[in-house]
Amino acid sequence: MDRIHITGGVPLNGTIPISGAKNAALPLMIASLLTGDTLELANVPRLADIAALTRILGNHGVDHMVVGKRPGQTTETGQTIRLTASNVIDTTAPYELVSTMRASFWVVAPLLARFGEAKVSLPGGCAIGTRPVDLLIMALEKLGAQIEIDAGYVVARTKNGLRGAEIDFPKVTVGGTHVALMAASLAYGTTVISNAAREPEVVDLADCLIKMGARIQGAGTPRIVIEGVARMNGARHEVLPDRIETGTYAMAVAMTGGDVVLENTRADLLHSALDILSTTGAEITQVPGGIRVRRNGAGIAAVDVTTDPFPGFPTDLQAQFMALMTLANGQSQIRETIFENRFMHVQELARLGAKIRLEGDLAIVEGVERLKGAPVMATDLRASVSLVIAGLAAEGETQINRVYHLDRGFEALEAKLARCGARIERVRA
Ligand code: EPZ
């Protein structure tokens, strides 16, 4: 298995191009199932999760084409893909494919809405918590689907099509909101989603669905109203920048020191995280087309953080922020409210010399003067990248194992960091 070697202690200086958002690209690709016309998506990141979803869509019969690879195009730049679901041959998403990536469960919504049936494997357990799909099923049932669980599969059917309904989520769910948006777009009549997720990726999906002919109002607010349409059409859409990748590199610079411009991204996608980073002592400024992050000389101030749905501090940046706080002056308290088991990075950060105590959903981090490199590994994407950040700031060599987690969500990670001076390389097995 590949490993990443880092020799830490080097400040980051330069520019990093930010990729399209993985968590927007995935539901956008799934939305291609809503129409027989072609959906063209630009700025799609080259990631293992995108490749996995391409295979899953291919299994349903969706044609996939990568548009115009230009000579000299590097793997740091996103790709443009065309997806055409004109010949869907199978409305079943099998366990072998769905178990590799939870988001693939969301295919249930467009398949059901367009073809009246879908059989999709339950996604199963996941390293960051139990992550059930009860709210996604509730939303589809409200829209009139008959749902059975049979031998590990969700079997969803509708006799005369889906019907608009009131869907009130008891808890904010990104996936639930994606599923409700896609299904309601092709339902008969009006759907009102209350307590909808307000994440930028939800807005991006809604924007694309509108281009495809859907009638949606209120995306980005807790109340979304959808007037169903009889059919949807093809469209072209550019995936929005990855706010988690943006925040990750911003935290890396805040930790190692230096001066980096994050290109092709937007501060409004992660205000809460950038505000917190400023409080820790990093200097954040908006520049044309991006964000500049600097920390020169000054120490890192300890700041408390609680994760929350958007516009709150994202759970997907919690591990990275914890890495930063391990070198802060004093104590910080980090509370995780979205997932019940998202602290696997704690014991690995401890291997680098971090002092962290866990009390239920609270991590209490006592800043130390320095971290020291060590072999580490992590069991999910964001935890893994928190170890990369910590390794960049630690003295000596850090070796990160199980690199495939990073490949799921960070496009050209080593290349992007190396161009800013980081001593980082991949050692192929
Ligand atoms: C999305 O997951 C993201 N994944 C996650 O990013 C992200 O951490 C999460 O939203 C929260 O922001 C993608 O977009 C592909 P949820 P999702 O439904 O939609 C509970 C990453 O690293 N819940 O908003 O699956 C759930 O257990 C990943 O890129 C139910 O109880 O998350 C959690 O506690 C990790 N029942 C909370 O809601 C349900 O039916 C929020 O989950 C659904 C969810």
Side-chain angles (χ1 to χ4, degrees):
M1 248 185 280
D2 290 2
R3 287 192 293 266
I4 285 185
H5 273 240
I6 299 172
T7 308
V10 187
L12 297 170
N13 284 291
T15 57
I16 297 181
I18 297 300
S19 298
K22 166 181 84 81
N23 288 350
L26 295 173
L28 287 166
M29 289 170 70
I30 289 172
S32 69
L33 285 166
L34 286 165
T35 174
D37 298 346
T38 298
L39 177 64
E40 183 171 303
L41 296 174
N43 201 30
V44 177
R46 292 162 209 267
L47 297 170
D49 272 9
I50 298 292
L53 182 59
T54 303
R55 279 194 297 279
I56 290 165
L57 293 176
N59 191 59
H60 292 300
V62 178
D63 278 338
H64 167 262
M65 203 182 106
V66 179
V67 183
K69 278 191 196 157
R70 294 184 302 279
Q73 194 175 27
T74 70
T75 48
E76 281 179 51
T77 49
Q79 52 187 337
T80 297
I81 62 173
R82 284 194 191 134
L83 298 166
T84 311
S86 56
N87 186 25
V88 169
I89 46 172
D90 195 347
T91 53
T92 299
Y95 173 78
E96 300 73 53
L97 295 176
V98 177
S99 58
T100 63
M101 191 189 20
R102 184 183 154 82
S104 56
F105 181 79
W106 303 340
V107 298
V108 68
L111 288 173
L112 177 68
R114 186 163 154 225
F115 302 103
E117 59 170 36
K119 183 176 170 190
V120 180
S121 170
L122 281 164
C126 170
I128 61 174
T130 48
R131 301 182 81 190
V133 289
D134 54 324
L135 299 177
L136 284 66
I137 291 175
M138 177 278 281
L140 296 174
E141 281 180 337
K142 287 266 178 190
L143 293 168
Q146 289 102 52
I147 297 199
E148 278 169 49
I149 313 285
D150 181 27
Y153 280 78
V154 171
V155 184
R157 286 196 193 87
T158 152
K159 278 210 186 80
N160 300 310
L162 296 174
R163 307 225 143 220
E166 303 256 331
I167 301 172
D168 188 359
F169 285 114
K171 186 174 190 177
V172 175
T173 156
V174 174
T177 308
H178 286 326
V179 157
L181 270 176
M182 286 190 272
S185 290
L186 278 184
Y188 181 79
T190 307
T191 297
V192 178
I193 308 176
S194 308
N195 200 24
R198 290 184 277 165
E199 269 65 5
E201 293 76 21
V202 167
V203 179
D204 209 36
L205 174 65
D207 285 347
C208 179
L209 293 174
I210 291 168
K211 290 179 196 165
M212 293 168 73
R215 296 171 61 192
I216 300 171
Q217 279 184 332
T221 77
R223 186 171 184 273
I224 307 180
V225 181
I226 305 131
E227 300 284 343
V229 295
R231 80 174 283 281
M232 292 176 69
N233 47 259
R236 183 178 196 281
H237 185 80
E238 185 169 327
V239 179
L240 95 170
D242 196 315
R243 65 194 165 100
I244 304 304
E245 190 195 22
T246 306
T248 299
Y249 291 128
M251 286 179 197
V253 180
M255 194 166 182
T256 61
D259 185 349
V260 171
V261 173
L262 305 170
E263 295 175 326
N264 315 327
T265 188
R266 289 171 20 212
D268 63 294
L269 299 174
L270 70 162
H271 266 315
S272 62
L274 294 178
D275 287 351
I276 296 268
L277 267 186
S278 305
T279 321
T280 69
E283 206 179 308
I284 315 268
T285 40
Q286 292 195 42
V287 295
I291 302 167
R292 181 174 178 188
V293 186
R294 272 181 292 183
R295 190 175 66 80
N296 292 317
I300 301 167
V303 181
D304 296 343
V305 151
T306 298
T307 62
D308 266 316
F310 192 84
F313 188 94
T315 172
D316 289 348
L317 284 175
Q318 178 256 108
Q320 299 89 316
F321 185 73
M322 194 182 298
L324 173 62
M325 287 298 100
T326 62
L327 286 185
N329 301 319
Q331 186 193 81
S332 76
Q333 304 203 347
I334 301 177
R335 194 176 293 279
E336 171 58 56
T337 70
I338 309 290
F339 294 110
E340 73 271 25
N341 181 25
R342 208 173 195 185
F343 281 141
M344 290 85 58
H345 39 286
V346 167
Q347 64 187 36
E348 298 301 303
L349 287 169
R351 296 170 60 78
L352 300 172
K355 280 203 184 138
I356 306 167
R357 198 171 77 244
L358 287 182
E359 284 178 13
D361 64 357
L362 186 69
I364 300 154
V365 188
E366 300 288 345
V368 294
E369 223 156 85
R370 64 181 65 86
L371 299 178
K372 217 160 166 243
V376 287
M377 80 178 167
T379 46
D380 89 277
L381 169 59
R382 312 302 177 187
S384 297
V385 87
S386 78
L387 300 174
V388 171
I389 295 179
L392 291 171
E395 288 173 0
E397 282 240 342
T398 294
Q399 182 183 307
I400 321 250
N401 296 299
R402 294 207 188 159
V403 171
Y404 58 84
H405 287 297
L406 292 166
D407 293 337
R408 290 186 48 204
F410 287 91
E411 186 174 31
L413 175 88
E414 311 96 90
K416 289 185 184 188
L417 287 168
R419 59 189 268 166
C420 291
R423 282 179 287 173
I424 180 168
E425 62 174 359
R426 179 179 295 239
V427 180
R428 306 228 174 243

